[in-house]
Amino acid sequence: CGNQPRTDNGQRQRFENAFPNLVRCEWSITGEATKLYNCFAWSVGITDEWIWLEVDRKWGNPRNGIIEVADFDAFYQAFGYEHTTNINEAEIILYRDPFKAELINPAGITHAARRRRCNCGCGRWMMFESKCGELEKIEHRHNQLDEGYYGVPFRYYKRRN
């Protein structure tokens, strides 16, 4: 559904180096690079705010300056989502890398991707879209970011009924 990444400016190589499971012609660029918003904001449809510490400050409990899984549960709940263990129901995937854990982020939470309802791959694949930090937005199969720069999926969210 998006544009194939460019090779002349290193765009394709940059993403494929960061995410070794990306397969050429199975992922594409869907949005330009911007510093206005990040993956967590994008996962709930926000395109004018960078959300990170706000997950604890606005939605966390007890707002202790530590970003925890429960803070993300509350964040997504505020936008109409609930936790699920079923990848097939997932509208949002939350990633973590335990090697990136730190005092303010003990779970090593790194990224969120949002499900994309489209006919990409002739409708055979479960597609997600990711805003990659300050870089572009990409669409990818549900498992193509696994074990890359963001680590692994560990939590899924679906729309509340």
Side-chain angles (χ1 to χ4, degrees):
C1 294
N3 300 314
Q4 286 300 299
R6 294 176 53 191
T7 56
D8 61 345
N9 67 359
Q11 192 178 46
R12 178 187 305 262
Q13 202 60 52
R14 183 175 62 242
F15 280 100
E16 290 179 356
N17 285 346
F19 308 106
N21 291 329
L22 287 175
V23 176
R24 291 197 179 174
C25 298
E26 292 182 1
W27 69 279
S28 59
I29 304 290
T30 56
E32 297 299 316
T34 179
K35 296 178 182 181
L36 287 177
Y37 62 95
N38 63 353
C39 61
F40 304 114
W42 172 249
S43 71
V44 294
I46 296 171
T47 58
D48 62 355
E49 184 180 0
W50 192 278
I51 294 175
W52 176 237
L53 296 176
E54 293 77 8
V55 172
D56 177 65
R57 288 182 193 145
K58 291 183 181 179
W59 297 280
N61 190 7
R63 294 174 179 83
N64 58 3
I66 298 172
I67 297 170
E68 301 165 297
V69 175
D71 299 344
F72 274 95
D73 288 349
F75 168 66
Y76 286 119
Q77 185 176 21
F79 288 93
Y81 296 91
E82 64 186 3
H83 174 253
T84 181
T85 57
N86 186 345
I87 179 66
N88 294 315
E89 296 179 330
E91 295 292 326
I92 297 170
I93 300 174
L94 196 61
Y95 291 78
R96 76 173 170 187
D97 183 341
F99 295 108
K100 294 182 180 170
E102 55 186 345
L103 190 58
I104 67 161
N105 180 15
I109 296 168
T110 56
H111 183 66
R114 179 170 96 177
R115 188 155 192 176
R116 188 168 166 92
R117 303 280 181 197
C118 66
N119 273 337
C120 306
C122 300
R124 297 182 310 216
W125 301 320
M126 188 184 317
M127 299 297 289
F128 280 79
E129 191 169 34
S130 290
K131 173 64 171 73
C132 299
E134 296 178 359
L135 300 176
E136 297 88 349
K137 261 190 322 195
I138 65 170
E139 68 180 355
H140 51 86
R141 287 191 359 235
H142 80 280
N143 59 353
Q144 288 184 321
L145 300 189
D146 297 9
E147 298 181 30
Y149 180 77
Y150 296 133
V152 295
F154 81 103
R155 203 147 179 90
Y156 307 110
Y157 298 91
K158 67 178 184 175
R159 279 259 176 224
R160 262 193 328 259
N161 292 333

